[in-house]
């Protein structure tokens, strides 16, 4: 591993006002999203959709890196140019999802453990050879009656740390994603407590596994009330709680925090990220950026609907969300930006 290269890549991923675009939905997840809109669930439809994304004119102005899936990193444009080349030519860094998904955890009803460590060293070598410069692994923690348990938090934190260590050995920047899910009635305070405990555990294990913090990116949830919690805090309250939690648990050596969107609407995700940067940016040790999938892609997918003729309009919608999040990084996002696009 060349530590300086890792550090440079990690810094580049969160430099300026750019962020990451996650387009690493597994085939079942991508198919589920296609099915809802009546789009055929075929390899060709998935390829055409990903071509739409990576060929969006101007995407590199707001997006520093894209996260691909195993099928996608092997695909090409219709004209034969490999996606990895298209992405790199656009000035964007290609990355890859390397976990094998969250599976039911033995002895822990209602909880999941992310799999994929077996054989990971060989897969990382192949992805690196294909041009990937960073990799992502997602752990999911549900909040509910008596969960998440200590066992689930610990097992997922250890898997994240072992994955991150293998990534750095292979010269790939680990994007470490511990996600506290929004589903449920839990309060913002409960999300705060779980997120703090989880982040502390993750960084303990990253330390134990000798991960270079300067050469990684954290991809966490924001601190939010559950989707069905009757009390929904304001944008500023969410921003305050999230930053307060992270100041306690995320070491200053980490160059950037790139949030997942987790099912928030595109507008709300931009507004909350914006509020954090407006209120705290000049006082924080790490960059506050984005690594959204749904909150960037959803409007584009809904416009596209699998129709070639709608590609330009869908690309415009994608670029708009990327631009809004770039503005949110500067603390310059406003609701008026949404009206301009409409
Ligand atoms: P969302 O932004 O849709 O939550 O996806 C981010 C991601 O990469 C999930 O692993």
């Amino acid at each position: 591993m060349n530590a300086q290269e890792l550090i440079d890549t990690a810094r580049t991923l969160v430099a300026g006002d750019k962020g990451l675009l996650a387009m690493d939905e597994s085939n079942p997840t991508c198919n589920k999203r296609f099915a809802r809109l009546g789009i055929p669930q075929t390899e060709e439809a998935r390829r055409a959709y990903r071509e739409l994304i990576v060929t969006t004119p101007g995407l590199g102005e707001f997006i520093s890196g894209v996260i691909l899936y195993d099928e996608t990193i092997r695909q090409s444009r219709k004209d034969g140019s490999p996606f990895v080349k298209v992405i790199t030519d656009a000035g964007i860094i290609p990355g890859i999802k390397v976990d094998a998904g969250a599976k039911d955890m033995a002895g822990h009803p209602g909880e999941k453990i992310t799999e994929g460590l077996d054989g990971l060293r060989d897969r990382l070598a192949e992805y690196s050879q294909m041009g990937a410069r960073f990799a992502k692994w997602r752990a999911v923690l549900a909040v509910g009656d008596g969960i998440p348990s200590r066992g689930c938090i610990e097992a997922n934190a250890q898997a994240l740390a072992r994955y991150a260590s293998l990534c750095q050995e292979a010269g790939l920047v680990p994007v470490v994603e511990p996600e506290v899910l929004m589903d449920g009635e839990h309060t913002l305070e409960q999300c705060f407590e779980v997120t703090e405990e989880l982040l502390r555990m993750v960084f303990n294990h990253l330390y134990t596994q000798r991960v270079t913090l300067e050469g990684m990116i954290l991809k966490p949830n924001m601190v939010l009330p559950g989707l069905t919690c009757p009390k929904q805090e304001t944008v500023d309250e969410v921003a305050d709680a999230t930053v307060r939690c992270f100041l306690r648990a995320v070491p200053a050596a980490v160059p950037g925090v790139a949030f997942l969107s987790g099912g928030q609407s595109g507008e709300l995700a931009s507004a909350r990220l914006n509020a954090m940067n407006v209120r705290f940016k000049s006082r924080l040790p790490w960059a506050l950026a984005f690594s959204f999938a749904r909150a960037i892609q959803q409007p584009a997918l809904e416009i596209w609907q699998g129709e070639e003729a709608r590609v330009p309009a869908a690309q415009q919608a994608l670029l708009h969300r990327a631009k809004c999040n770039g503005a949110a990084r500067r603390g310059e996002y406003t609701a008026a930006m949404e009206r301009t696009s409409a």
Side-chain angles (χ1 to χ4, degrees), residues 175-209:
V175 173
V176 173
E177 183 178 8
E179 175 176 9
V180 177
L181 294 171
M182 281 171 73
D183 310 81
E185 275 190 38
H186 59 271
T187 62
L188 173 136
E189 287 77 19
Q190 282 173 290
C191 178
F192 187 113
E193 262 175 48
V194 171
T195 303
E196 182 181 350
E197 185 182 355
L198 176 61
L199 290 175
R200 285 181 186 275
M201 187 73 79
V202 167
F203 281 102
N204 277 343
H205 281 279
L206 289 170
Y207 176 66
T208 309
Q209 297 302 323

Side-chain angles (χ1 to χ4, degrees), residues 21-25 33 67 97 99 136-138 140 177 179 219 259-264 291-297:
L21 193 167
M23 46 181 288
D24 60 331
E25 298 84 4
R33 293 189 187 155
I67 313 175
K97 181 231 288 292
D99 65 69
K136 185 198 97 169
W137 177 291
R138 172 173 177 254
V140 287
E177 183 178 8
E179 175 176 9
K219 174 166 175 166
F259 290 102
L260 59 94
S261 59
Q264 306 174 66
S291 177
F292 298 156
R294 284 163 287 179
I296 293 184
Q297 288 185 42

Side-chain angles (χ1 to χ4, degrees), residues 233-302:
E233 278 75 5
T234 64
V235 166
D236 285 350
E237 285 167 340
V238 165
D240 287 1
T242 304
V243 170
R244 197 154 38 86
C245 179
F246 284 40
L247 281 170
R248 288 186 187 179
V250 182
V254 174
V257 171
F259 290 102
L260 59 94
S261 59
Q264 306 174 66
S265 71
E267 287 85 350
L268 211 43
S270 298
R272 286 166 168 164
L273 176 63
N274 184 68
M276 287 181 223
N277 280 313
V278 166
R279 296 160 84 82
F280 303 105
K281 185 174 177 154
S282 59
R283 293 186 269 150
L284 296 176
W286 2 260
L288 289 183
F290 55 91
S291 177
F292 298 156
R294 284 163 287 179
I296 293 184
Q297 288 185 42
Q298 196 56 30
L301 181 60
E302 284 169 17

